[in-house]
Amino acid sequence: MKEAWRLQLLLLVTCSISLQDSNKPNFVLMMVDDLGVGDLGCYGNKTLRTPNIDALAQDGVKLTHHIAAASLCTPSRAAFLTGRYPVRSGLAGEGRSGVFIFTAASGGLPRQEVTFATTVQRQGYQTALIGKWHLGLNCRSSGDHCHHPGVHGFHYFFGVPLTNLRDCQPGHGTIFQIQKHLPYRTLGIIGVSAALMHCGGLVAISRRLLLSLLALLLAASALTAGFISVIPYFNCVLMRDHVIVEQPFRSENLTQTMTREAVDFIERNSAKPFLLFFSFLQVHTAMFVSAGFRGSSGHGLYGDAIHEVDWSVGEIMRTLDRLGLRENTLVYLTSDQGAHLEEETAGGWNGIYKAGKSTNWEGGIRVPGILRWPGTIPGGKQVDEPTSNMDLFPTVVRLSGAALPDDRQIDGHDLMGLLQGRVQRSNHEFLFHYCNIYLNAVRWRPQNSGSVWKAFYFTPNFSPENQTACFHTQVCFCTPGYVTYHDPPLLFDLSRDPSESTPLSPDTEPDFYAILAKMAEAAASHQSSLKPVENQMSVANMVWKPWLQPCCSSFTRFCQCPHQ
């Protein structure tokens, strides 16, 4: 009798757990790298074909005022995963570089940060990250993997710990434009002046000194060339979980491979709740595309790559349909920031919005935002209210049945009220836009107004001046000498001027100073909420460290290993 009672209790508990699991939605979160908001048909593009992504928008909700929390990869992805401004995690640098450029750097997403993957994993979800990580790898040794996706809630990882660099493909150049930062002019002036003084008898320069300086110059040039030539072997690493699969990776068919990995993960976990974060390497330079899509667009490799991304999205959606998971899966598609305009023919289109990646003009941070969940979210709906990629954290956490962390500031807001039409106004009255560690701009959506105000405290110096990009440095920087400070700040009303073409003034906006005062008050309140954290993007945490270098063979072989 007692055994029968125990068996009944066990069956009851098992059924209860199964019922709870069946009520939990799955999550498929897709992030395209450097995709412009104007590159998709559903956002107005007439020359590229994106039928699968357009179908998502048709069957779900399209966000037209969706904002990335940063205009560069590393901080934007940190904010997406944690629901917090990247400055709170220490992922905002003080110097020129705003992203990790070495796999063997020691900075990364701190272990104490809570991601949506960590939270849903505790709720019984199977989790996977397929694709780009770009949030660090090691701290003290080449195998400690202290910043690895596995530390941050992902059961399975197949992808690259850094990003898809120009250096990862032969013939595409290098991101290390060292020659642009060498003081050629100063060295030339010194050299000519010394030669003139020597010839004029004002100063004697020995032949030995001249030869020594020439030897030093040649040695520096050789070291620079050698460094650039070995970077692909050190930075371009493909991993499965904690094991290197290929070094350097070959990118041509990588989207095909990653799509198969995504399909396999969904098939393995179709009977239990899962979260898949599919993080495309495309359409970041160096541009690549598989043979089947080469030449499929009229926009070169960039357009071809978008066609391949759309195909991949379609494959994943068809897998959900085939397994009967369509009605129980929340699908989200976005970009980590705007298109990289400095890449010219290899860059995308940000529609009517000004500038692009690495700036906080709208073209740098206004990104696609598409969510689909048939039966729960109405189809064919458009939301024009300000939303953020940080909003996915509280949305996913609450839908998984978990509570939001109460020991830290969460800057994102649950999207479900807006998506389902239960509320009409965004909970983001203010959004704060950082350029690295510096507060660059503030966005204000007053609760009693249709305006969306945006104030810039400084703006990047474009080069050439008649362009909206920084072609002289390939990305725009945030530091003095590369920006212009504004006092009073530049003020725009995005509801009337979404292209940010004409700053307002006291003559054109009667409440000019009152609006700026309200935004300054909000900025001060926000900044008072920041707590001191270790700067993960300090020079010490950003530089290459040989003892942190992942290497699947040996340094004498430049860490090369073929695909396994």
Side-chain angles (χ1 to χ4, degrees):
M1 187 70 178
K2 185 181 287 187
E3 291 300 322
W5 179 81
R6 285 178 178 173
L7 182 59
Q8 288 178 341
L9 181 61
L10 180 61
L11 287 171
L12 181 64
V13 170
T14 302
C15 290
S16 175
I17 292 173
S18 298
L19 185 61
Q20 288 175 11
D21 283 351
S22 67
N23 290 332
K24 291 180 178 180
N26 305 307
F27 302 101
V28 174
L29 313 176
M30 296 175 287
M31 180 175 281
V32 189
D33 201 350
D34 289 2
L35 177 72
V37 71
D39 287 330
L40 301 177
C42 52
Y43 283 89
N45 194 294
K46 304 298 184 185
T47 59
L48 290 172
R49 298 186 303 277
T50 53
N52 294 299
I53 296 174
D54 297 347
L56 274 183
Q58 182 63 39
D59 295 342
V61 176
K62 180 177 71 172
L63 306 176
T64 64
H65 200 135
H66 198 44
I67 304 299
S71 62
L72 289 170
C73 308
T74 295
S76 177
R77 289 159 185 274
F80 171 66
L81 285 162
T82 64
R84 289 155 50 85
Y85 288 109
V87 68
R88 298 192 192 277
S89 307
L91 285 163
E94 297 179 357
R96 294 181 188 176
S97 180
V99 299
F100 294 116
I101 56 175
F102 295 112
T103 306
S106 55
L109 186 62
R111 186 183 289 264
Q112 61 268 28
E113 287 296 324
V114 177
T115 70
F116 53 66
T118 302
T119 306
V120 304
Q121 189 183 71
R122 293 170 184 158
Q123 295 297 111
Y125 278 72
Q126 290 297 305
T127 56
L129 166 60
I130 294 171
K132 171 176 171 173
W133 175 236
H134 212 177
L135 289 168
L137 184 61
N138 296 315
C139 291
R140 294 184 175 84
S141 69
S142 62
D144 66 31
H145 292 180
C146 65
H147 299 305
H148 187 277
V151 173
H152 291 290
F154 292 101
H155 289 110
Y156 182 68
F157 170 56
F158 179 84
V160 300
L162 194 63
T163 185
N164 174 39
L165 301 172
R166 282 181 169 275
D167 306 74
C168 294
Q169 288 194 65
H172 285 257
T174 177
I175 64 162
F176 298 96
Q177 302 291 326
I178 298 171
Q179 73 280 0
K180 289 187 177 182
H181 305 287
L182 293 176
Y184 292 117
R185 187 169 181 270
T186 303
L187 291 172
I189 292 172
I190 292 172
V192 171
S193 300
L196 289 173
M197 288 189 291
H198 177 71
C199 294
L202 297 176
V203 64
I205 301 176
S206 69
R207 184 179 178 183
R208 182 177 179 182
L209 177 59
L210 285 172
L211 291 173
S212 297
L213 290 173
L214 181 60
L216 184 63
L217 181 61
L218 289 172
S221 300
L223 285 172
T224 300
F227 170 77
I228 291 172
S229 67
V230 301
I231 277 297
Y233 304 107
F234 293 158
N235 264 353
C236 308
V237 180
L238 179 65
M239 301 181 73
R240 175 175 280 110
D241 290 330
H242 294 271
V243 178
I244 296 173
V245 174
E246 189 175 29
Q247 186 176 2
F249 63 76
R250 292 166 293 177
S251 57
E252 181 180 2
N253 294 314
L254 201 47
T255 299
Q256 306 278 319
T257 303
M258 292 195 310
T259 304
R260 286 195 297 271
E261 290 280 342
V263 169
D264 288 348
F265 172 78
I266 294 171
E267 289 176 340
R268 290 197 306 271
N269 296 284
S270 60
K272 62 193 90 159
F274 65 82
L275 180 146
L276 168 64
F277 176 23
F278 192 97
S279 178
F280 288 91
L281 270 65
Q282 291 164 316
V283 288
H284 192 291
T285 49
M287 209 56 60
F288 68 91
V289 68
S290 63
F293 291 91
R294 189 175 291 271
S296 64
S297 77
H299 294 278
L301 282 178
Y302 186 88
D304 299 346
I306 287 180
H307 284 178
E308 185 164 27
V309 166
D310 184 75
W311 165 84
S312 176
V313 171
E315 288 296 296
I316 294 171
M317 295 307 102
R318 283 186 283 274
T319 301
L320 295 176
D321 291 346
R322 174 167 52 83
L323 297 172
L325 300 173
R326 179 187 179 93
E327 307 293 324
N328 194 38
T329 302
L330 175 64
V331 175
Y332 170 69
L333 184 136
T334 191
S335 174
D336 52 356
Q337 64 265 326
H340 193 176
L341 300 187
E342 287 84 357
E343 295 293 348
E344 299 185 88
T345 57
W349 185 45
N350 294 316
I352 65 170
Y353 303 112
K354 185 174 182 176
K357 176 179 179 175
S358 79
T359 81
N360 281 310
W361 294 105
E362 288 298 282
I365 52 177
R366 196 177 288 220
V367 294
I370 301 170
L371 296 103
R372 189 196 77 178
W373 187 3
T376 303
I377 295 175
K381 182 180 174 67
Q382 178 173 302
V383 171
D384 301 322
E385 287 289 299
T387 56
S388 169
N389 66 350
M390 296 184 292
D391 296 340
L392 268 293
F393 177 89
T395 304
V396 167
V397 166
R398 284 178 172 155
L399 288 173
S400 75
L404 293 178
D406 58 6
D407 62 344
R408 64 198 63 213
Q409 178 73 41
I410 300 299
D411 299 300
H413 295 287
D414 190 339
L415 285 170
M416 289 305 292
L418 273 176
L419 298 177
Q420 294 179 321
R422 290 184 281 108
V423 299
Q424 303 303 316
R425 284 274 180 164
S426 168
N427 286 324
H428 288 290
E429 183 177 3
F430 294 95
L431 282 167
F432 305 97
H433 307 299
Y434 283 84
C435 188
N436 289 3
I437 205 169
Y438 310 104
L439 182 61
N440 185 188
V442 176
R443 183 182 311 251
W444 179 29
R445 172 73 158 108
Q447 294 299 312
N448 60 348
S449 168
S451 294
V452 180
W453 306 103
K454 186 177 177 186
F456 278 97
Y457 300 112
F458 63 87
T459 50
N461 297 333
F462 294 136
S463 180
E465 291 183 5
N466 63 345
Q467 299 289 322
T468 55
C470 300
F471 288 99
H472 59 316
T473 50
Q474 278 300 105
V475 292
C476 295
F477 295 139
C478 315
T479 47
Y482 295 95
V483 299
T484 297
Y485 296 93
H486 303 287
D487 187 14
L490 297 184
L491 181 65
F492 299 89
D493 182 356
L494 299 177
S495 68
R496 292 178 287 169
D497 183 15
S499 300
E500 298 166 298
S501 58
T502 308
L504 299 170
S505 68
D507 294 329
T508 56
E509 175 48 60
D511 296 325
F512 182 83
Y513 289 110
I515 293 166
L516 289 177
K518 179 71 173 179
M519 297 172 88
E521 180 185 349
S525 175
H526 158 71
Q527 292 197 297
S528 70
S529 74
L530 303 179
K531 297 179 179 179
V533 292
E534 181 186 352
N535 185 356
Q536 297 294 325
M537 308 198 81
S538 65
V539 173
N541 279 329
M542 293 275 284
V543 297
W544 180 72
K545 300 176 179 67
W547 58 91
L548 300 185
Q549 179 61 54
C551 188
C552 64
S553 56
S554 66
F555 278 95
T556 57
R557 295 181 55 194
F558 299 117
C559 296
Q560 294 181 81
C561 63
H563 179 73
Q564 299 176 20

